[in-house]
Amino acid sequence: MIYIFLALWLATGAATFFARSRRAVHLLCALHMGIHALFAARLLFGGAFLATSGAFFTFDEAGTVFYILMIVVAAFVFLHSQEYLRDDGIAAYRTYFALLMLLITAITGVYFANNIAVTWILLETTTLCGAGIIYHRHSEAALEATWKYLFVCSTGIAIAYLGILLLSAAASNRSLDYSELQWLIAEGNPLYLKTAFLLILTGYSCKMEIFPLYTIGVDANFAAPAPASAMISTGLVNAGFLAIFRVYRLFASTEVFPWVRHVLLIIGMLSLTVGALFLRRTNNYKRFLSYSTVENMGIAAIGLGIGGIGVWAAVFHVVCHTLIKSSLFLQIAVVRQVYNGYRINRIGDYININKVGAIGLLAGMVAVLAFPPSPLFVSELMILSQTIASTGWWLAAVMVLLLCIVIYSICYRVIKLCYQPNQDELHLSKINRRLSYGALSLLMAAIVLGLWQPAPLRAIIDRIATL
């Protein structure tokens, strides 16, 4: 089944490269999303859930949850992109949408791959699709960000490949299937296992946007069109998280698992520190949101490192972060229509220019900072309580200090955008307030999850977090 859908997704993406009008591009986008909707229906209601297709893909709980989230976000990204790129020529316009379709297809493959080598191949595919989107503007800054993205991501993927080779050696080269690897490496050489995990974590950190290769994600979001950044900071970041999480689960039955958790805890703290400190320094709203992603993915890594209820909280945190961060990036896309830029120190008075968009940003500020009723309040409270129970107060105190820096930085900059006097030229004729309502609806969905977690969602996350 999966190969038929993959062929259809690839065909619509390839056909978009040759579309001769915007109408044709829009029809192909609608067809592409319609096929995804049909596939999602097969997963949820057609008996495909938990089945294996084509030997290399299994529609498990984790992949299904993140896939449904990505499709919801992708629908908004396509709609916002049409407005965001309305002044582009047809060649650039169709190339952008074609690459976006191919990126979504590659991410879908990552979500459902049941083989660590297939995951690796598809993650490298996302690099190629993402690079084309980053270079969309063809500016000098976009070119620099693109070649950096290609170089660093390819280097990271190559590092992860070395880790996969070592993991295969620890499994006596018998299988690369996740379910089989889990018991094959149970008695593996500890040195091989530790080195393999370090290499894979380092390599995939460029996709999850955590320390040490987080910088390339920040540069990519800065250069890419803002709606595409919503997909990169959620769908693609989730692919990196899921790739690392699957490897993390492999090690749960090995003697090196406590060491693995300590490594994730260190990486998470370093990511949280980097995100907190650079949020204060950046003068661009897209970089600002990207460092917020680094900070939130650091919190998720801490949850995995702490273990216990922290694993459940980490998965829930990433799920809710997807809705919140995509909403904020889409709101920032509307901001760019008004000011034609993202400079923090020069743009302001947004509350009087686009009240709905400003409310969306202020509500998004509350949500991303984990203030009630944000769902991130639930996950961060769980992680902090598990941290206190596992390591004592000192680590939790450091986390709270860093989170205070994050709170100050985000509040200061979002309030400046809404209320400080504006210094840049305005383009009021380009405002489409309906897009602000659309982005706000994603945020409202996240807040609902903060107030009420449906029993099916809790049950699915329970199964995902069971090691």
Side-chain angles (χ1 to χ4, degrees):
M1 178 186 77
I2 184 66
Y3 293 120
I4 295 174
F5 281 99
L6 284 173
L8 292 172
W9 292 327
L10 291 173
T12 52
T16 306
F17 280 112
F18 304 100
R20 295 188 175 183
S21 66
R22 290 174 184 263
R23 179 178 174 80
V25 172
H26 297 166
L27 288 174
L28 286 166
C29 289
L31 177 60
H32 186 83
M33 291 306 301
I35 298 170
H36 275 292
L38 178 61
F39 182 66
R42 286 290 303 273
L43 284 178
L44 296 177
F45 311 111
F49 184 54
L50 300 180
T52 297
S53 178
F56 296 117
F57 300 94
T58 298
F59 311 123
D60 63 354
E61 295 92 347
T64 300
V65 167
F66 286 117
Y67 173 72
I68 298 300
L69 280 171
M70 182 188 68
I71 293 309
V72 171
V73 171
F76 284 90
V77 168
F78 277 115
L79 290 174
H80 279 250
S81 294
Q82 292 173 12
E83 184 70 21
Y84 190 90
L85 304 177
R86 64 181 179 180
D87 295 329
D88 286 22
I90 184 62
Y93 192 80
R94 68 191 181 194
T95 299
Y96 168 88
F97 281 100
L99 289 171
L100 191 57
M101 292 181 204
L102 296 178
L103 177 63
I104 291 170
T105 303
I107 293 173
T108 300
V110 174
Y111 288 162
F112 294 118
N114 61 20
N115 184 292
I116 194 170
V118 176
T119 299
W120 178 84
I121 292 168
L122 291 168
L123 278 175
E124 178 62 4
T125 305
T126 65
T127 300
L128 300 176
C129 299
I133 293 172
I134 294 166
Y135 187 55
H136 176 77
R137 292 298 178 195
H138 291 192
S139 64
E140 189 173 322
L143 177 62
E144 181 181 357
T146 302
W147 73 256
K148 282 182 179 179
Y149 187 77
L150 283 169
F151 178 78
V152 175
C153 284
S154 297
T155 301
I157 295 297
I159 292 171
Y161 179 68
L162 295 176
I164 293 171
L165 289 179
L166 280 175
L167 202 60
S168 178
S172 304
N173 300 312
R174 293 170 63 183
S175 176
L176 290 175
D177 185 273
Y178 285 115
S179 59
E180 294 181 18
L181 272 176
Q182 189 162 17
W183 62 267
L184 286 173
I185 67 172
E187 302 297 329
N189 185 309
L191 179 60
Y192 278 23
L193 293 178
K194 288 181 179 180
T195 307
F197 183 77
L198 272 180
L199 291 171
I200 293 171
L201 179 63
T202 301
Y204 288 168
S205 67
C206 62
K207 298 298 182 180
M208 187 178 166
E209 295 188 21
I210 55 173
F211 188 90
L213 300 181
Y214 65 90
T215 55
I216 199 58
V218 175
D219 289 339
N221 287 320
F222 168 70
S229 297
M231 179 57 64
I232 293 170
S233 274
T234 57
L236 186 52
V237 165
N238 292 352
F241 170 80
L242 194 53
I244 291 173
F245 182 70
R246 293 195 192 279
V247 175
Y248 169 82
R249 293 183 67 176
L250 291 180
F251 282 78
S253 58
T254 68
E255 63 180 270
V256 303
F257 189 55
W259 178 88
V260 165
R261 286 172 48 191
H262 280 107
V263 170
L264 277 168
L265 188 57
I266 293 169
I267 292 295
M269 288 300 297
L270 289 171
S271 301
L272 177 56
T273 303
V274 165
L277 296 180
F278 277 91
L279 277 170
R280 282 186 51 80
R281 297 183 57 184
T282 183
N283 191 38
N284 181 282
Y285 277 108
K286 286 178 72 182
R287 285 188 181 274
F288 172 74
L289 291 178
S290 298
Y291 281 116
S292 171
T293 299
V294 175
E295 171 247 329
N296 277 282
M297 290 302 106
I299 292 172
I302 291 170
L304 297 181
I306 290 297
I309 193 63
V311 180
W312 194 99
V315 176
F316 183 69
H317 190 89
V318 176
V319 166
C320 298
H321 173 265
T322 302
L323 297 171
I324 295 169
K325 189 54 60 67
S326 59
S327 174
L328 286 170
F329 265 111
L330 294 176
Q331 291 288 6
I332 286 295
V334 181
V335 169
R336 194 256 183 186
Q337 290 181 321
V338 176
Y339 302 101
N340 198 30
Y342 306 100
R343 291 173 291 183
I344 290 175
N345 291 332
R346 293 189 58 84
I347 62 178
D349 199 32
Y350 194 52
I351 192 72
N352 292 317
I353 296 170
N354 182 10
K355 195 175 293 294
V356 174
I359 291 171
L361 287 171
L362 291 169
M365 174 190 75
V366 171
V368 82
L369 290 176
F371 294 144
S374 169
L376 301 188
F377 173 77
V378 177
S379 56
E380 291 189 17
L381 187 61
M382 286 182 175
I383 292 171
L384 282 170
S385 62
Q386 185 65 37
T387 301
I388 295 170
S390 301
T391 65
W393 285 93
W394 70 270
L395 186 59
V398 175
M399 289 178 62
V400 169
L401 176 62
L402 292 171
L403 289 173
C404 287
I405 297 173
V406 171
I407 290 170
Y408 171 80
S409 301
I410 291 181
C411 287
Y412 178 70
R413 281 160 173 76
V414 173
I415 290 173
K416 281 186 71 173
L417 172 58
C418 292
Y419 294 103
Q420 79 170 356
N422 176 58
Q423 299 179 48
D424 272 4
E425 180 184 356
L426 298 177
H427 303 268
L428 300 181
S429 62
K430 295 186 176 182
I431 297 178
N432 187 342
R433 290 177 175 83
R434 290 176 297 176
L435 298 179
S436 294
Y437 282 106
L440 187 59
S441 66
L442 287 171
L443 186 61
M444 292 301 101
I447 291 174
V448 168
L449 288 179
L451 297 170
W452 170 65
Q453 296 90 46
L457 177 63
R458 294 185 67 90
I460 288 177
I461 297 180
D462 284 343
R463 291 197 289 271
I464 295 171
T466 300
L467 303 178

